[in-house]
């Protein structure tokens, strides 16, 4: 007798749940592989069988391998979702995904989606439809692929008070920054390598401009702070402006540059607001996030009673993402078979977002300046005029005064103590209209200290 649970027969009396899969690309094809290879075990875990009734794609002619049977493919996603008990959405994009999911729920199906862009832009409509039709909405795979993060925030920590979530939630940009740090490559060269190796998409905009990380930050902030935090509420800066010089300057200061997603509760006199933001930041090279290499993700959650928790793993890729989806499929299917509902939207706190201008951060700024007496004093004077205190200064001569009397230039890298974002913006405005400052080359925040 086989001891492997998949070997034990599945009772023919178990109910059958009809599953529609929307999309059979990187993630969808792995979802279908796991559903077919682990069907027996999943039936035992659920107490019901999963029957894939169709797979919606755009191109019916494409061969998709043995786990995506051609007979299941359809271009008619609208009909498919109306016949399902469970819809797994892995097609991506806003439309037609949104309309299909709303239609699926209206027809009584529970939904599992990996679509962070849709959740961040219009999660409210999906939650409302799930409530209105008494079905479940699960989306573990939408944030950090295989890493359990949505369920811990939404369920395991539901009795605690989350203060801050800080982490690396985009694998592509971490791969690029890691390559720049290890090899000294420029952003452009590291991106080209990442594309050749299949880590970055042909159109890398969503990743390198920070949009993907911002969508994940909006989902995490909404869950952590029981408030609706829309994509538009997330301050977002990508990594396209990070230069090889920034990486070198960071290393000189014992720091490393990572694209961070930060969502936090800001306690103020008379209340609290929340901040959700994504930007490349300098962190100490001994910080646990500094050792997160290649395309891995890692996230810290700080909660009042639980203290600090760290989650680490593969944040992308077909199989890791499919693992998170299958976990959601099991949860949603169990509820269909045994009754009960999954977690609903929790937004009772209705906390407002704090504008970036009102936040305090430590900064690193890098300027190209005229090399002549008094320039440093002028820069320090501007910063101190806005209440910004300098922590360190590094100066390097770029070129000597030429024979024809050309101006000599120097590079100045300044790190500051924590200061108001609006004060830094005002200082940079002054620098950009001062003859002594030839260019503002970088402005990065310092975190994790
Ligand atoms: P993908 O490889 O581009 O696959 C998308 C699939 O959806 C394709 O099979 C495509 O059909 C189908 N599709 C797209 N538009 C459609 C339409 N209008 N009607 C019918 N079918 C349509 O995408 P993916 O990488 O698997 O990502 C899917 C979702 O998972 C996205 O929301 C993404 O953000 C999320 N996600 C992805 C990862 C990852 O590592 N890839 C990780 C976490 C979350 P054709 O094959 O015929 O073109
Ligand atoms: N493009 C994302 C990343 C994976 O690079 O992490 C999907 O969330």
């Amino acid at each position: 007798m086989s001891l492997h649970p998949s070997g034990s027969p599945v009772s023919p009396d178990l109910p059958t749940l009809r599953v529609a899969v929307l999309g059979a690309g990187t993630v969808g094809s792995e979802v279908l592989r796991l559903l077919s290879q682990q069907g027996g075990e999943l039936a035992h875990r659920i107490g019901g069988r999963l029957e894939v009734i169709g797979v919606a794609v755009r191109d019916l002619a494409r061969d998709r391998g043995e786990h995506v049977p051609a007979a299941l493919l359809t271009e008619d996603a609208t009909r498919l979702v109306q016949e399902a008990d469970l819809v797994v959405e892995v097609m991506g994009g806003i439309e037609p995904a949104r309309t299909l999911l709303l239609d699926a729920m209206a027809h009584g199906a529970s939904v599992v989606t990996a679509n962070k862009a849709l959740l961040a832009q219009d999660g409210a409509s999906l939650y409302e439809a799930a409530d209105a039709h008494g079905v479940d909405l699960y989306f573990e795979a939408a944030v950090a692929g295989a890493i359990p993060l949505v369920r811990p925030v939404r369920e395991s920590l539901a009795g605690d008070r989350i203060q801050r979530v800080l982490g690396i939630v985009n694998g592509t940009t971490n791969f690029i920054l890691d390559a720049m740090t290890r090899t000294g490559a420029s952003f452009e060269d590291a991106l080209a390598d990442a594309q050749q190796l299949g880590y970055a998409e042909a159109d890398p905009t969503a990743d390198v401009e920070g949009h993907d990380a911002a969508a994940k930050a909006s989902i995490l902030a909404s869950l952590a702070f029981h408030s609706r935090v829309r994509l538009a509420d997330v301050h977002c800066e990508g990594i396209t402006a990070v230069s090889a010089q920034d990486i070198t300057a960071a290393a000189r200061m014992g720091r490393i540059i990572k694209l961070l997603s930060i969502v936090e509760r800001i306690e103020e006199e008379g209340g609290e607001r929340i901040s959700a933001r994504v930007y490349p930041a300098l962190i100490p090279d001994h910080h646990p996030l500094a050792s997160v290499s290649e395309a891995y993700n890692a996230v810290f959650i700080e909660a009042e009673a639980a203290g600090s928790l760290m989650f680490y793993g593969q944040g992308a890729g077909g199989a890791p993402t499919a693992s998170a989806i299958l976990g959601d499929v099991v949860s949603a299917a169990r509820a269909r078979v045994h009754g009960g509902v999954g977690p609903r939207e929790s937004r009772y706190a209705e906390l407002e977002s704090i504008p970036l201008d009102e936040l305090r951060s430590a900064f690193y700024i890098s300027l190209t300046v005229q090399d002549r007496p008094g320039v440093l004093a002028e820069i320090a004077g501007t910063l101190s005029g806005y209440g910004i205190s300098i922590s360190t200064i590094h100066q390097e001569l770029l070129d000597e005064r030429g024979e024809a009397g050309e101006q000599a230039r120097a590079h100045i890298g300044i790190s500051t103590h924590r200061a108001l974002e609006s004060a830094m913006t005002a200082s940079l405005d002054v620098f950009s209209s001062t003859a002594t400052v030839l260019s503002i080359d970088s402005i990065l925040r310092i975190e994790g200290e």
Side-chain angles (χ1 to χ4, degrees):
M1 190 180 103
S2 166
L3 291 177
H4 195 270
S6 58
S8 45
V10 175
S11 160
D13 300 333
L14 289 185
T16 297
L17 296 171
R18 293 159 300 167
V19 180
V21 180
L22 307 182
T26 307
V27 180
S29 56
E30 284 299 303
V31 167
L32 289 159
R33 179 180 69 79
L34 293 179
L35 282 171
S36 90
Q37 289 181 344
Q38 300 180 7
E41 291 195 59
L42 294 175
H44 282 293
R45 292 174 199 171
I46 292 165
R49 297 163 189 276
L50 299 174
E51 181 198 349
V52 178
I53 57 165
V55 179
V57 292
R58 282 176 298 209
D59 178 3
L60 287 180
R62 225 171 87 200
D63 177 22
R64 295 163 193 273
E66 61 175 314
H67 299 298
V68 190
L72 287 178
L73 297 180
T74 176
E75 283 174 318
D76 191 353
T78 304
R79 184 197 53 78
L80 182 61
V81 300
Q82 294 175 359
E83 294 173 354
D85 300 307
L86 265 177
V87 171
V88 176
E89 188 270 305
V90 279
M91 63 176 18
I94 306 301
E95 288 294 351
R98 170 172 39 202
T99 302
L100 289 168
L101 295 188
L102 294 177
D103 199 21
M105 292 193 267
H107 281 83
S110 288
V111 161
V112 174
T113 178
N115 195 334
K116 70 219 91 167
L118 175 56
L119 287 159
Q121 187 167 313
D122 196 15
S125 300
L126 299 184
Y127 277 126
E128 281 161 16
D131 260 356
H133 303 293
V135 296
D136 286 333
L137 171 65
Y138 281 99
F139 47 88
E140 182 63 67
V143 185
I147 308 173
L149 209 51
V150 169
R151 197 169 267 102
V153 172
R154 197 151 77 139
E155 299 182 52
S156 319
L157 292 166
D160 206 333
R161 186 176 160 82
I162 295 177
Q163 304 288 10
R164 192 160 120 107
V165 182
L166 170 142
I168 296 166
V169 294
N170 183 270
T172 307
T173 47
N174 199 57
F175 185 90
I176 293 169
L177 291 173
D178 185 40
M180 289 173 73
T181 304
R182 279 185 295 99
T183 67
S186 67
F187 166 75
E188 290 75 16
D189 288 347
L191 169 61
D193 279 353
Q195 284 172 316
Q196 208 173 15
L197 293 166
Y199 284 99
E201 310 243 353
D203 177 359
T205 314
D207 292 317
V208 299
E209 296 292 356
H211 305 157
D212 175 81
K216 292 165 180 167
S218 112
I219 295 169
L220 287 174
S222 302
L223 297 174
F225 304 129
H226 305 273
S227 300
R228 272 189 186 160
V229 181
R230 295 168 186 83
L231 188 55
D233 300 321
V234 182
H235 174 81
C236 173
E237 294 171 32
I239 63 163
T240 53
V242 176
S243 66
Q245 290 73 19
D246 293 332
I247 302 271
T248 309
R252 196 174 48 236
M253 293 184 276
R255 295 186 175 117
I256 188 167
I257 300 180
K258 293 288 187 190
L259 183 70
L260 298 184
S261 292
I262 305 171
V263 310
E264 64 186 335
R265 197 188 283 279
I266 313 275
E267 285 171 15
E268 303 167 305
E269 223 173 279
E272 54 186 18
R273 287 185 286 175
I274 49 184
S275 163
R277 53 198 199 271
V278 169
Y279 45 57
L282 282 73
I283 56 171
D285 57 13
H286 56 267
H287 191 283
L289 289 178
S291 59
V292 177
S293 61
E294 300 188 339
Y296 280 86
N297 286 190
V299 177
F300 277 101
I301 300 180
E302 290 162 24
E304 203 170 280
S308 215
L309 306 167
M310 185 172 178
F311 299 78
Y312 171 83
Q314 297 189 65
T321 307
S323 160
I325 288 172
L326 266 282
D328 282 352
V329 166
V330 169
S331 297
R334 278 179 182 151
R336 306 292 292 206
V337 172
H338 305 291
V341 286
R344 322 313 286 175
E345 182 184 27
S346 172
R347 61 185 178 94
Y348 68 90
E350 291 183 348
L351 294 176
E352 279 180 25
S353 293
I354 186 166
L356 188 73
D357 262 8
E358 296 178 35
L359 282 180
R360 298 179 74 80
S361 299
F363 294 90
Y364 166 74
I365 56 172
S366 131
L367 311 170
T368 301
V369 298
Q370 293 178 358
D371 185 39
R372 59 168 182 73
V375 169
L376 210 51
E378 190 182 321
I379 290 165
T382 300
L383 291 172
S384 85
Y386 286 104
I388 302 175
S389 166
I390 292 174
S391 161
T392 65
I393 296 192
H394 176 86
Q395 181 172 339
E396 224 169 278
L397 192 60
L398 289 176
D399 41 34
E400 303 281 355
R401 182 173 294 275
E403 280 180 14
E406 295 104 354
Q407 174 184 272
R409 298 175 311 143
H411 172 261
I412 297 183
I414 298 173
S415 62
T416 75
H417 294 294
R418 278 160 65 80
L420 263 181
E421 188 86 29
S422 57
M424 181 51 80
T425 308
S427 303
L428 294 174
D429 282 349
V430 172
F431 294 151
S432 60
S433 59
T434 309
T436 47
V437 176
L438 303 172
S439 60
I440 299 169
D441 303 324
S442 310
I443 160 85
L444 292 160
R445 290 153 193 95
I446 300 171
E447 297 282 350
E449 311 211 308

